[in-house]
Amino acid sequence: MEIREIRTEDNAAIERVIRECLIEFGGNREGLAWADPGLSDLYHEYNAREGEKPYHNRAYWVVLDGGRIIGGCGIAPYAGSTEVCELQKMYLYGEARGTGIAGRLLRIALDFAKKHYQRCYLETLSSMHAANRFYRKNGFVELDGPLEGSEHFACDAWYIKDLNDDSPKKEKRSWRAEKLGSMGSSIFSEAAGWREEAERSGKDIINLGIGAPDEAPSAAIRGKLSEAVLRESAYKYPGTRGTAEFRGRCSDWMRHRFGAEIDPNTEILPLLGSQDGLAHLAQAICNPGDLAILPNPGYPIYAGSLAIAGVTPWLLPLREENDFLPDLDAVPDEVWEQAVFILLNFPGNPIAALTDYPFLEKLVTLAKKWNVLIVHDLAYSEMGFDGYRPLSIFEIPGALDTAVELHSFSKSFNMAGCRIGFMAGNAEAVGALRELKGHIDFGAFEPIQETAVFALEQAMAAPDGDRGVAPIYERRRDVFVEALAEEGWQVRKPGATMFVWARLPEKLLMDDSWSSKAFSRELMLSEGIGSIPGCAFGSEGEGYVRFSLVRDEAALREAARRIGRFVRGMVSINTSGSVGQSG
């Protein structure tokens, strides 16, 4: 993000930001003020009118992200005063939240104000508590009433800041690491904000955004957990290594499910959910400055874990024309040479790309050639549809020399809240993560390990043809995709997982003012349907939106009906010549 003074050509974009009034701290969509039509010609208002000298005591700055204006603020004389200036409200779109851009914008405005004025005044709505906290934190003081000459209403909160106070002050230190801004998209928190806004407006919410199972574990699994937590001896530190019983049963299940021989003593590590392993693995096996190959789009923790570890990502595109499988031949030799690991996810989140034996065989061959570790995220191993059973990397001979694989009980057994999973594979990589986690946590609660053992034993004892949770999501997929088709939106039918990765309707894609983020936002605000825009998963996700199959079939049919109504309405608006939403 960058900040610059406005230019003539910025007028319309600035006016739109102000009218929508998406103040960083939570303004409503309808706008808080600025109902009058006199916002145009901002450049000349803040810089120079035709034939006149520039106004040296006023300025307006805008925040740009990729060339797009997403906010701004200005300084101008207050009520004609030559001593007091007014800091106009800061207008920032939601993607700026948490980036520190508000603080940078404020510093630029105040540095300008100090050159021309003695005091700086601002006003903000009293209901904007977060905005008030921000301004107080930056030295503004609330007043009891308006300044002389004010025409504003008493419902506003009033602030003033002395600009000529030169007493030495320690510069405010940030207690937020800059690398947190590189951990992943802020869109998930923004989507939560859209949902809250829709709820306040009375919308009935069907949230298909979050990828969390809505079903509980089986009654037998719940009973086993209840029994285990009542045992008095269960409350000691469990240890990072995990119980021998847990590791042994994971090894048994890998043999039962994939025909893979995994040593339970050196090649299996329990995890506090598979995301625990994904978040920490790069720190365990890489040094700062190393390189790793990641899928684009991909689950956000993939890139986030590299940001924390100081590892550079090389993004491998997943595109529809290639059935969302990566083109391994397109990876340059110099990238293979530098890479410590390549992370892939089949079937994946957000895309349920299906792989086959020849692809995995080629991947193992390349990994061995270049001495690259394969990290295979197989969280959705038990969610294959239409007769497809997801493959383990360890079905390929020799893969143990160059691969690790992560498994999850959250998706396979609806045990999301239990936070239990495991990593299997190459003993050196497993040992490195075990060593790191030994400094971080004390392992998974033993009653949860016992319950996970019980779940694996149930799965191995199930009759032939039993597919666990897969049939539930397969039926939901059929209902949702077919209902969308009836509404006029044909989307790709996933062959696995709990996600539908839908390409936006072509008529919307033809309009540059529409984005995946704008689609998800307006769908929630208009119809109460939650989704995650594709851009949250990487640049290759733009133009797509992810729906999660985490509601029952009746709710999915209702969601499809509302989505169809929304899409028809937006297509109708766009084809009539109106501009779509861009936020």
Side-chain angles (χ1 to χ4, degrees):
M1 293 181 186
E2 61 174 314
I3 298 173
R4 75 168 188 220
E5 269 195 47
I6 63 170
R7 303 170 183 170
T8 306
E9 59 268 24
D10 296 331
N11 287 346
I14 297 167
E15 185 173 339
R16 178 174 182 174
V17 173
I18 295 174
R19 285 191 187 282
E20 292 194 3
C21 201
L22 292 175
I23 192 167
E24 181 189 15
F25 312 97
N28 59 23
R29 295 179 62 245
E30 290 72 23
L32 304 172
W34 303 91
D36 64 278
L39 286 177
S40 59
D41 210 17
L42 284 168
Y43 175 81
H44 292 129
E45 175 66 24
Y46 278 90
N47 292 275
R49 303 182 196 281
E50 292 293 338
E52 296 182 3
K53 294 181 180 180
Y55 288 103
H56 294 296
N57 61 347
R58 67 173 68 200
Y60 199 96
W61 300 271
V62 292
V63 179
L64 294 98
D65 185 15
R68 183 170 66 92
I69 293 176
I70 63 170
C73 76
I75 288 286
Y78 173 74
S81 172
T82 58
E83 296 183 354
V84 182
C85 64
E86 179 180 359
L87 172 66
Q88 262 99 47
K89 291 191 191 78
M90 233 177 285
Y91 294 90
L92 295 173
Y93 277 117
E95 56 259 51
R97 185 175 297 126
T99 65
I101 197 70
R104 287 171 53 197
L105 195 59
L106 182 61
R107 284 193 296 273
I108 289 173
L110 291 179
D111 285 345
F112 175 90
K114 285 181 181 180
K115 297 176 182 178
H116 304 285
Y117 302 96
Q118 294 180 7
R119 294 187 297 169
C120 183
Y121 150 86
L122 67 89
E123 58 88 8
T124 186
L125 288 193
S126 56
S127 62
M128 293 299 176
H129 301 299
N132 294 346
R133 287 195 298 271
F134 173 81
Y135 288 125
R136 288 194 189 101
K137 187 175 180 180
N138 285 279
F140 287 86
V141 179
E142 188 169 4
L143 300 182
D144 295 330
L147 295 178
E148 185 178 352
S150 169
E151 297 177 357
H152 296 289
F153 294 98
C155 64
D156 290 334
W158 305 87
Y159 296 82
I160 198 77
K161 180 178 176 68
D162 288 329
L163 299 172
N164 57 0
D165 182 1
D166 295 325
S167 58
K169 293 183 178 67
K170 181 180 178 180
E171 184 176 350
K172 177 69 175 68
R173 175 184 285 114
S174 173
W175 293 317
R176 180 183 184 276
E178 292 181 1
K179 60 188 174 184
L180 292 180
S182 304
M183 282 200 66
S185 173
S186 63
I187 291 175
F188 291 91
S189 60
E190 287 184 58
W194 304 337
R195 186 188 69 247
E196 291 170 3
E197 186 175 345
E199 287 172 339
R200 286 195 299 269
S201 68
K203 290 288 187 296
D204 173 37
I205 307 300
I206 302 178
N207 190 6
L208 307 183
I210 186 171
D214 58 316
E215 299 281 327
S218 69
I221 290 175
R222 299 198 308 274
K224 179 65 178 179
L225 179 59
S226 300
E227 174 187 310
V229 298
L230 291 175
R231 196 179 66 252
E232 290 185 11
S233 62
Y235 291 87
K236 63 183 184 296
Y237 286 124
T240 306
R241 185 178 178 84
T243 67
E245 185 183 24
F246 177 83
R247 288 182 278 108
R249 204 61 77 244
C250 289
S251 175
D252 294 342
W253 181 79
M254 291 291 290
R255 183 184 307 109
H256 170 85
R257 175 69 176 80
F258 304 110
E261 293 295 334
I262 308 293
D263 186 337
N265 295 313
T266 61
E267 296 172 345
I268 286 180
L269 176 67
L271 301 171
L272 307 179
S274 59
Q275 181 156 316
D276 169 27
L278 293 168
H280 292 113
L281 184 60
Q283 297 175 67
I285 65 175
C286 295
N287 296 312
D290 283 345
L291 182 141
I293 302 170
L294 298 185
N296 180 15
Y299 188 45
I301 195 59
Y302 297 165
S305 66
L306 299 196
I308 293 297
V311 175
T312 301
W314 192 89
L315 299 178
L316 187 56
L318 307 181
R319 292 174 177 154
E320 192 163 0
E321 58 265 29
N322 197 33
D323 288 329
F324 296 110
L325 287 172
D327 183 357
L328 298 176
D329 295 327
V331 180
D333 286 356
E334 56 267 27
V335 172
W336 282 116
E337 178 66 37
Q338 295 177 57
V340 174
F341 69 86
I342 178 171
L343 196 163
L344 294 172
N345 181 207
F346 302 123
N349 177 7
I351 307 172
L354 306 184
T355 190
D356 55 18
Y357 191 95
F359 178 89
L360 293 179
E361 190 174 41
K362 180 177 183 177
L363 176 62
V364 170
T365 299
L366 283 167
K368 286 188 172 185
K369 174 183 176 181
W370 294 104
N371 191 26
V372 170
L373 181 72
I374 299 167
V375 179
H376 189 207
D377 178 10
L378 192 51
Y380 303 94
S381 67
E382 306 311 289
M383 287 189 182
F385 308 147
D386 307 315
Y388 176 78
R389 298 295 301 276
L391 302 174
S392 167
I393 193 71
F394 299 121
E395 295 182 55
I396 308 301
L400 265 173
D401 297 335
T402 194
V404 292
E405 191 167 77
L406 295 104
H407 289 269
S408 168
F409 289 76
S410 300
K411 309 303 189 295
S412 301
F413 302 104
N414 293 327
M415 294 173 62
C418 295
R419 308 314 303 135
I420 186 71
F422 68 92
M423 187 172 82
N426 180 269
E428 183 181 10
V430 168
L433 183 57
R434 182 191 305 118
E435 184 177 349
L436 175 67
K437 280 176 56 61
H439 295 285
I440 295 173
D441 63 63
F442 291 96
F445 188 36
E446 284 195 3
I448 290 177
Q449 292 188 59
E450 289 180 38
T451 306
V453 165
F454 179 76
L456 292 175
E457 289 173 343
Q458 279 203 317
M460 289 186 286
D464 290 343
D466 182 274
R467 296 167 53 220
V469 299
I472 295 173
Y473 291 99
E474 185 172 352
R475 288 194 301 272
R476 291 179 178 184
R477 174 207 64 174
D478 292 342
V479 165
F480 187 60
V481 171
E482 289 166 13
L484 285 178
E486 291 172 4
E487 296 292 334
W489 188 10
Q490 301 288 338
V491 302
R492 188 183 179 98
K493 201 171 191 178
T497 79
M498 56 169 56
F499 304 114
V500 172
W501 185 243
R503 181 176 171 83
L504 296 186
E506 291 299 325
K507 288 186 179 179
L508 294 185
L509 288 172
M510 292 168 61
D511 184 345
D512 291 339
S513 65
W514 275 98
S515 65
S516 59
K517 181 178 174 182
F519 183 92
S520 286
R521 177 176 179 271
E522 293 304 318
L523 179 60
M524 172 56 78
L525 297 176
S526 299
E527 298 290 346
I529 304 300
S531 62
I532 298 296
C535 60
F537 304 96
S539 58
E540 292 290 339
E542 185 52 70
Y544 294 85
V545 64
R546 191 196 77 177
F547 296 105
S548 301
L549 301 170
V550 292
R551 295 292 300 272
D552 62 33
E553 295 171 26
L556 291 171
R557 288 190 185 93
E558 172 62 16
R561 186 187 67 79
R562 294 192 214 168
I563 293 168
R565 179 172 63 195
F566 172 77
V567 169
R568 287 191 297 274
M570 292 303 99
V571 169
S572 174
I573 289 174
N574 278 32
T575 54
S576 68
S578 298
V579 179
Q581 301 286 327
S582 65

